[in-house]
Amino acid sequence: MKNTLPALRASRGMTQGDLADALNVSRQTVNAIETGRYDPSLPLAFAIARLFSSTIEDIFKPD
Amino acid sequence: MSAATTSVKSAGRNYLIEFSLVLGLYAATAGGRPWLIAHAHNPSLALAATLAPIVPIWLMLAVVWRYYRHIDEYAQKRFLETLAISFGIGSCALVTYAFLTDAGLPPLALSWAWPTLAAAWLITTFVRRIADSR
């Protein structure tokens, strides 16, 4: 699954570590999501969408 | 994500500390067992020394479970994958050795199964980390 997370994060001036802290996950997890190696669970995807005041569909797109 | 991830950042450090302590306890009880048995003044003490390594073995399971409950979902997924792969490798290694004993290799005690599986887990974790860093 593709995602716009790196762009969203950059637009907020956040590092992967900052985002990880905000989501209460590890930086490795944020990196894995951003690079498409891991698709987050629905609760985590909702948390990401909520954090960026967006929707899951706007952030995550099927390949 | 779950309530279990409240201390996700400190989970790794805590795990390392707890695991090292329990591993040290295992090494002490397993390594010191022959001496303790030989110098035990009564059969109860000898029996306690004989069974002492059982305690850290089960403590280790508790430490691993505690760590699993405190890491995030991606880490949990990787943890379980690594565990499954290493269990497969370790089991195959044990069965292979069992057949090799029929071909002349010295038989090993059943207690070697646990260190073998632990070593397979350690190696698998190490190899996956190297692969991921590329």
Side-chain angles (χ1 to χ4, degrees):
Chain A
M1 205 151 52
K2 291 174 187 169
N3 66 78
T4 58
L5 207 50
L8 278 171
R9 180 172 58 75
S11 71
R12 299 280 181 102
M14 295 174 89
T15 63
Q16 285 188 343
D18 295 334
L19 182 56
D21 287 344
L23 296 169
N24 198 23
V25 296
S26 67
R27 195 194 57 77
Q28 288 80 6
T29 299
V30 170
N31 183 263
I33 294 169
E34 287 192 357
T35 54
R37 283 186 289 118
Y38 176 65
D39 295 331
S41 67
L42 270 177
L44 182 54
F46 273 115
I48 293 168
R50 203 177 305 122
L51 185 70
F52 291 108
S53 305
S54 186
T55 61
I56 292 176
E57 304 93 294
D58 284 340
I59 299 173
F60 297 96
K61 311 273 183 201
D63 282 326
Chain B
M1 230 171 35
S2 71
T5 59
T6 48
S7 56
V8 69
K9 281 186 91 171
S10 58
R13 190 183 63 239
N14 292 343
Y15 175 62
L16 203 63
I17 293 168
E18 291 169 3
F19 195 87
S20 300
L21 287 173
V22 176
L23 197 62
L25 186 62
Y26 175 76
T29 52
R33 204 165 67 133
W35 187 88
L36 286 169
I37 293 167
H39 292 82
H41 295 299
N42 63 59
S44 300
L45 276 176
L47 182 64
T50 303
L51 302 178
I54 292 172
V55 175
I57 291 286
W58 285 95
L59 278 177
M60 198 161 288
L61 181 64
V63 166
V64 170
W65 176 246
R66 199 171 118 81
Y67 172 66
Y68 179 80
R69 295 287 297 148
H70 284 90
I71 54 180
D72 65 43
E73 58 183 53
Y74 174 62
Q76 284 183 337
K77 177 179 174 281
R78 289 183 52 79
F79 185 90
L80 289 179
E81 283 174 0
T82 304
L83 195 62
I85 293 166
S86 59
F87 181 80
I89 293 169
S91 302
C92 287
L94 287 168
V95 174
T96 300
Y97 195 86
F99 281 106
L100 287 173
T101 58
D102 293 339
L105 283 184
L108 288 177
L110 195 59
S111 57
W112 274 94
W114 188 77
T116 303
L117 291 170
W121 192 9
L122 199 69
I123 292 165
T124 308
T125 303
F126 186 66
V127 169
R128 288 198 77 188
R129 282 202 179 163
I130 289 174
D132 281 352
S133 65
R134 288 184 176 171

